[in-house]
Structures are given as C-alpha cells and as structure tokens.
Amino acid sequence: MVVAGREPVADGVVRLTLRPVGAGPLPEWAPGAHLDLRLGDELVRQYSLCGDPADREVYQVAVLRAPSGRGGSAHVHDVLRTGSGVSVRGPRNNFALADSRRYLFVAGGIGITPILPMVAAAEKSGADWRLVYGGRSRGSMAFVDDLVERYGDKIDIAPQDERGLLDLDGLLSAPSQDVLVYCCGPEALLAAVEQRCTSWPGGALHLERFSPKEASEPAADGVFEVEFAGSGVTVSVPPGVSIVDAAAAAGVEMETSCREGTCGTCESEVLEGVPEHRDSLLTPDERAANDVMFPCVSRCLSGRLVLDR
C-alpha cells in the first residue's frame, strides 16, 4: 500500500490514509479491526482501523508517538511520508462489536482509535450509547472536535489536567444486565475498568490491549510436547522457549506478529491437551473453553498439546 495522506490529529498523533497500489476494493473490515504494518524486516506493529468500514478504497490508522516504545511509532512519525510504500497484513479483529441495545464506551488516549467506528456503528443502529473519553490534556486527545460536533452530549470529554482521573466508580459501580462495555487505552485504565467490572454479567466487558498485561510466573514451566496435526510433526518445548520458536526449529512455520499475546495473529485451535493461557486476548470464559490458544506466549498444563496446524 502507499501512504496517500498524512495529517496531525492531536499532539504527537498522526493519521495515515493508506491506499492500495493496484485497483479493486480493499478487504472488508468491521469496527474493532486492526492492521499489521510491516515497518522494517523485524518491525511489525498493529494499529486499529479508525476510518469508515464502508469506504473500501482506503484504510485509516492513527499512531501516537511513544517515546519509550520499541521503534514502530517513531518509524511512522519520522520515516513515513505521503507517497511512502508500506506493507500491510490484515485486517484482523479481536475486538469485534457485538449487537446490543446499549453500550458504554471508555477510551483513554490513543485508545480512541478502535472506538471511533464503534460509536458510528452504534449510532447508525439506533442503540443507546455513551462515550467517556479521557487523556492527559485536551490537545493530546485525537478527534475530540469531530466527536463532539457529530454526537454532542453523548460524548463526555474528560482531560486529566482539567477534570482529574475518570470517575470509573461512578460509571461502573452499578452492574447493568443489558449494557456492553468496550474499553481501550493504557494498561492502568484497562486494569481499573476490569477490576470494577468483576461484578458485571459475564461477557459484558470487552477490552483491547496495546501491550501485554502483567503475567504471573508460569504454573508449569517444564518440558512439554506439541503435535502439529496438519504436518504430523511433534516438537519438544523446553522451559524458556516458546511454542512458536520450537516449531520453527523443527521446520513448522507459524504466522506471528507481536509475539506478546496481544495481536491474535498466531491463534491456533487446540485439538487435545490443556493450554496454560498467558495471552492478553481471551476472556475468562474463552480460556475455560480451552479450544484456542496463542502459542507465541502460552504454554501447557497437561504435558502434551495437539494443535490444528
């Protein structure tokens, strides 16, 4: 793809408009989807699509410069210009918007990006919804003016330097049977929302993380075996080695991207065995089902796994 447009949308945030080099419509996507941008040989980063899913001619992403990041946002800000080529994979969606009559959206900082098409979809469907959007300062919060202009008092803009931290107790203290909560932002916000939603109905809370949540020590970090049903190859996975790396050493290539359990690229179906889930994607119910896992970070509790690969 080629960068067809590049514009600042907040302090330290740039929006890229990406257009395919060839003719034809782009693959469809739905609110919550992200793209993998290959920014170098070993530099692949995930960015949420924030444009209009009905526009099949371009994709749009917005990227915050992260001074303490691992190089992806710096590359976007310092290297990519209008006319630059960029390799793209996806779209992929681990944060899909489920049907509901009522929604509460909570966004922190650049976490507004996947929420933008969600609120547009909720508005179009006629659902009852509200967005609470926090950030360090008004100038650092992308798309504020557009949101307020389009949706008015359905949007609660809450810059920290003006109003302090978001009032999550007031928002989430009373569980509701018919409200879905969608939240994206920094880990501190996600953890706080997750903690306050423990008494909400199962499946009410939906989170997307840009970085992995803090993981405990593995419950079982000994050697285990993984059989790849598609190839018939079985590998031994020692402590400190990921399933993905053990597979690669045996000639079984597994598509990966983040290698942190946040992007969903390596999702694998579990045919036998009990995974030790160490990703930042699956809900508690999805973990209990043990029918999929993310082998870039997860391990094994049963001594042996069979994956549909």
Side-chain angles (χ1 to χ4, degrees):
M1 302 192 76
V2 64
V3 179
R6 183 182 189 279
E7 61 176 322
V9 289
D11 296 340
V13 181
V14 64
R15 176 169 57 187
L16 301 181
T17 298
L18 306 174
R19 189 178 299 277
V21 175
L26 289 165
E28 293 182 358
W29 64 279
H34 69 262
L35 290 179
D36 291 352
L37 268 59
R38 184 173 294 279
L39 305 172
D41 290 342
E42 300 296 330
L43 190 61
V44 179
R45 295 293 181 265
Q46 293 73 44
Y47 299 108
S48 298
L49 286 161
C50 60
D52 180 0
D55 186 347
R56 302 285 299 281
E57 295 185 359
V58 298
Y59 289 144
Q60 290 188 329
V61 298
V63 181
L64 168 69
R65 177 188 283 276
S68 58
R70 297 171 297 155
S73 66
H75 184 99
V76 169
H77 280 257
D78 298 338
V79 177
L80 294 187
R81 294 291 182 265
T82 300
S84 297
V86 60
S87 178
V88 169
R89 184 169 59 191
R92 188 188 314 277
N93 202 336
N94 303 310
F95 192 43
L97 184 67
D99 290 336
S100 179
R101 294 185 296 107
R102 298 177 64 198
Y103 298 98
L104 172 62
F105 300 104
V106 182
I110 197 62
I112 190 62
T113 51
I115 301 297
L116 287 175
M118 289 187 174
V119 298
E123 179 75 0
K124 184 177 180 180
S125 73
D128 178 15
W129 65 273
R130 178 188 181 194
L131 166 62
V132 179
Y133 178 17
R136 295 188 310 278
S137 65
R138 191 173 293 267
S140 71
M141 298 167 64
F143 309 111
V144 166
D145 291 342
D146 181 59
L147 283 165
V148 173
E149 181 180 345
R150 292 181 66 184
Y151 304 117
D153 59 8
K154 292 184 179 181
I155 310 295
D156 183 6
I157 304 298
Q160 185 175 343
D161 63 349
E162 297 177 20
R163 294 176 46 181
L165 296 175
L166 295 181
D167 180 15
L168 297 181
D169 289 329
L171 284 173
L172 302 168
S173 60
S176 175
Q177 294 296 321
D178 62 350
V179 175
L180 295 185
V181 179
Y182 280 80
C183 180
C184 186
E187 179 57 31
L189 172 64
L190 299 178
V193 168
E194 202 168 25
Q195 190 275 327
R196 286 164 175 80
C197 284
T198 53
S199 61
W200 281 59
L205 176 62
H206 301 260
L207 303 174
E208 179 163 67
R209 286 180 157 88
F210 293 135
S211 58
K213 61 183 178 182
E214 186 175 349
S216 59
E217 289 299 314
D221 200 27
V223 178
F224 59 92
E225 287 189 343
V226 178
E227 177 186 341
F228 299 97
S231 61
V233 173
T234 298
V235 300
S236 178
V237 184
V241 176
S242 72
I243 296 173
V244 167
D245 288 337
V252 179
E253 294 299 325
M254 306 182 75
E255 188 178 23
T256 63
S257 182
C258 72
R259 289 182 173 256
E260 295 181 328
T262 58
C263 74
T265 302
C266 66
E267 181 175 344
S268 301
E269 183 179 354
V270 179
L271 302 180
E272 293 181 26
V274 181
E276 181 185 8
H277 299 289
R278 302 184 62 76
D279 62 273
S280 300
L281 289 162
L282 296 177
T283 66
D285 288 345
E286 290 169 336
R287 290 187 172 207
N290 284 328
D291 53 2
V292 297
M293 70 179 298
F294 299 92
C296 67
V297 292
S298 296
R299 302 191 68 77
C300 177
L301 294 175
S302 57
R304 186 174 183 273
L305 292 169
V306 179
L307 302 183
D308 185 21
R309 286 280 184 168

